[in-house]
Amino acid sequence: FANYCMATERNIILPVDGSDNSARAVDWYVKNAYRKTDKIYLYYVAEPPTLTSVTLVQPLQVPFEDWQKSIESARNHVKELEKKYIAQLYEHGISANVEFLEETTKEVGHAIVAKVAELNVSMAVMGSRGLGKLRRTFLGSIS
């Protein structure tokens, strides 16, 4: 039975956001729960960028250039996060069975819960947003 439990592939989701708490959660998983048979999903959920509808420079035109810059910046941010977390796992000797997933939605918590169900996840490991107790009390926390 013990050999069966160790050999069973698990789907693990690590929701990440670029914060120190997120990096610590990945480290915690690697040091305390990682198995070589795990399929690891690094999952980044972004809120959509705020796009202005007018600018003061050209108030009668839609600011397509500003939108393009904002969207390109968001894409670059996601690429950097993917590199960061793949490298973090690689530093621990983990390079197989790792996939980086991303999604954009205003409902971050719901997206994480839906992805857990979709992937039939065995374990989700995530850090908190890094808010202090007072701010977390008033603002709440997804984790």
Side-chain angles (χ1 to χ4, degrees), residues 6-133:
M6 291 301 288
T8 304
E9 183 177 287
R10 304 180 303 174
N11 290 335
I12 308 298
I13 193 166
L14 305 172
V16 295
D17 64 4
S19 69
D20 290 342
N21 286 333
S22 187
R24 280 192 290 274
V26 171
D27 279 338
W28 183 92
Y29 160 73
V30 170
K31 292 173 184 171
N32 296 290
Y34 171 70
R35 294 181 190 165
K36 289 182 180 183
T37 56
D38 287 349
K39 171 68 178 170
I40 302 168
Y41 295 96
L42 296 163
Y43 185 47
Y44 175 67
V45 183
E47 293 188 15
T50 303
L51 303 174
T52 58
S53 55
V54 296
T55 66
L56 297 176
V57 177
Q58 296 177 325
L60 299 177
Q61 292 184 341
V62 177
F64 290 114
E65 282 186 27
D66 292 346
W67 290 0
Q68 287 177 325
K69 287 178 185 175
S70 180
I71 291 168
E72 188 62 30
S73 174
R75 284 185 186 145
N76 289 336
H77 179 68
V78 170
K79 288 177 187 176
E80 290 302 315
L81 285 177
E82 181 176 7
K83 286 179 192 175
K84 172 185 175 176
Y85 289 106
I86 296 292
Q88 184 178 357
L89 290 173
Y90 188 77
E91 287 173 7
H92 291 286
I94 301 169
S95 59
N97 290 328
V98 177
E99 188 174 341
F100 188 89
L101 307 172
E102 62 172 292
E103 186 171 343
T104 302
T105 180
K106 288 186 176 186
E107 301 288 331
V108 175
H110 294 291
I112 293 170
V113 171
K115 191 59 75 175
V116 164
E118 175 189 329
L119 298 173
N120 193 28
V121 166
S122 304
M123 180 187 308
V125 179
M126 59 193 284
S128 68
R129 259 174 73 197
L131 302 176
K133 287 183 181 181

